[in-house]
Amino acid sequence: MIIQSNLVPTRGARQAVAAYLVVFGAVLLLMMVLGLLMRLNQGGLVTLPAEFFYQSMTVHGTGMVGVAGVGGAAVLWYFLGRHVRLTTWVFVLNLLTFVVGAGMIMAADFIGGFAAAWTFLFPLPAKAGGQWEPWAAAVHLGGLLLIGTGFLLFHLDTVRAILGRYGSLTRALGWPSLFGSDPEPPPPTVVASTMVAIANTLGLVFGASVLVISLVNLMVPQFAIDAMVAKNMIYFFGHVFINATIYMAVIAVYELLPEYTGRPWKPNRPFLAAWTMSTILVLAAYPHHLLMDFGMPRWLLILGQILSYVSGLPILVVTAFGALMIVYRSGLRWDLPAGLLFIGVFGWAAGVIPAIIDATIIVNSVMHNTLWVPGHFHSYLLLGQVGMLLGFASWLGRAAGARMPSRFGIAAFWIFVAGGIGLTQSFLYSGHASVPRRFAEYLPEWIGQARIGALSAALVILGTTMLMARLVAGSGPAGGAR
Amino acid sequence: MVQHVAWVITLIAMGAVALSFLWVAARAGEFAEYPGIVERAYRLRKVLFVVLLVVSGGVSVLTLGELPYATASYGTPHEGTFRPAQVVEAVGSRWQWELSPGQIVAGRPVQFRVTSTDVTHGFGIYDDAMHLLAQTQAMPGYTNVLTYTFQRPGTYHLLCLEYCGVAHHGMMGEFTVTSH
């Protein structure tokens, strides 16, 4: 039997979390501005050179994925630190590698002109067509590799700490309770952190491998990899990493909604089964990104559709339903953090729906690489993951003494939500109307939709800025909550 | 058609999720004993789980029967007769599409053999109203076979649906489908 106890983070650890949130906020806003610029350009309201558009697109995609990881890591580390002894310097090192790596990527893209999207599909980095120099590609890929290495160390440290307390990863996933009769399963945070560590370690290893191959290919063009193999590795890494950012952020929901409602989030058998299922499914469902690669084995693509359907069940049936259950008639007094956490779960659950529909092969035939795709991932990342992270940051800020007029917070919340819904729905509408994604210039019939998207993006930025201003106005030690 | 169905289902399902969240949020301030709520909610969750499982299983059975992946066959049954497919070589390179031969007849399946000479592109076929009809990836070293039957003669467009560089948005082509 494992005795639960709450460890108290040191001052340094609390400051490290605060540093993560500062970087998260700054980079998030910068990436949002780039996103707005792209929608304005597509709507014909500003004119960007195509080179700058695609550089911005590359930075936006890469930066958003990275900063979602940074925010998620802050949540995971903060709450996992209540249960196991983590290493602060490893946590700080991850942030440093992110900052340096992000600087390298921005320099490579905006100065060196590199613009191969976050996907850096082989052999595009080495075939610039005069758009960028090899050094820019090398610096961009090197920056990504550095960021990935930092995250790998971060997860290895969580694995070390979890093993130190629970003895094995299966025990930390709650298998003795799931398959046996152990009455004391690990807390939800430990289960989720273990799942993320397993999945992301594998994802990062594949990502780092294809990055190294691409880097060597830049220097020795004869050293090539099959384009399909590279694409599988890239999408395995990307799929696992971005999903892991949500699984890290949802820890804040598991920890804080019980605090708000006075109702425990019990790691019962359905919960443990869902997380074990998710551990497998997040690794196995990635072929749904390659449904239009007809050279892939057909059985793998069919499996991609089926597993994508199944992977939505744990989210909808366990986490979303659990959040509704715990809040319903709980006597909860809504405040900003609670509202943001709740909207985060909504964004995740709602975004899963168009994602699953897109994973249907016959739908993917006419939706793949249209704006339907950013439609669903902005739903579970912007409204979902970022909602949860802003909720977590607001909760920390509130505990540290941040106070602003309630009307300001309410206005910020609804502006963020309205903008988020407008942005995702405009993407989805455009996707259903066959508008391609990643186009710098639009046909006249697509411009109106882009303008609605731009207006929504502006609202998102306004709401996010107001939420952050609220936090900065009352900034204090991050761990004041303890 | 597929896009419209997907859009309507998405709106309905997302709307249902939104209403559920709004309904719960509106009642969060009330208070009831948790054990009673848990008991009812777990029953509802079981039903929800079974319904979602049945729906997703049913949709899989219905949709996995008609996949866009071409078979080795060069013809398809059409109105009781076996009509040979037209074979068109489609090659993408930055930033243009080359179709050979360029003549395509409506009502007979067309087998596009799609590849790329440089980086990965996306071979997207649009009708004249700019609705996406079908697509496959155009990848160096691979030939993806996409079979499609044009029902009506007219002008069709090719758009690149995989980002390939600075003029990606300009990588468009056009071809005509005739009645004979």
Side-chain angles (χ1 to χ4, degrees), chain A residues 85-170:
Chain A
R85 295 191 185 282
L86 297 164
T87 314
T88 304
W89 71 262
V90 175
F91 184 56
V92 173
L93 180 65
N94 182 36
L95 186 63
L96 290 175
T97 54
F98 174 80
V99 171
V100 174
M104 289 168 68
I105 288 168
M106 282 202 271
D109 296 6
F110 287 135
I111 299 171
F114 182 78
W118 82 261
T119 46
F120 57 92
L121 288 181
F122 185 86
L124 184 55
K127 295 200 173 182
Q131 203 177 340
W132 58 80
E133 296 296 324
W135 72 262
V139 171
H140 178 100
L141 298 177
L144 266 181
L145 190 59
L146 187 64
I147 292 171
T149 306
F151 272 101
L152 185 59
L153 291 173
F154 166 79
H155 288 301
L156 290 177
D157 183 56
T158 64
V159 168
R160 176 204 56 74
I162 288 168
L163 289 177
R165 173 87 189 256
Y166 294 91
S168 73
L169 294 179
T170 53

Side-chain angles (χ1 to χ4, degrees), chain A residues 54 115 127 131 226 231 263 268 291-292 295 298 305 317 329 331-332 334 357 362 365 368-369 434 438, chain B residues 10 25 27-28 30 32 34 42 45 63 66 69-70 94 126 132 135 137 142 161-163 166 168-169:
Chain A
Y54 289 121
K127 295 200 173 182
Q131 203 177 340
D226 181 276
K231 193 173 181 183
R263 295 171 171 176
N268 52 20
L291 297 177
M292 290 301 104
R298 190 172 302 189
Q305 172 175 327
V317 177
R329 299 185 74 185
L332 169 71
W334 288 109
I357 287 173
I362 59 167
S365 283
H368 181 67
N369 278 346
S434 301
R438 296 179 175 142
Chain B
T10 298
R27 279 156 185 78
E30 302 168 8
Y34 195 41
Y42 280 179
R45 187 165 73 176
T63 60
E66 289 191 29
Y69 312 130
R94 289 186 295 191
Y126 280 71
L132 180 56
Q135 66 171 303
Q137 292 273 291
Y142 285 83
L161 291 181
E162 188 63 74
Y163 173 67
V166 69
H168 163 62
H169 56 275

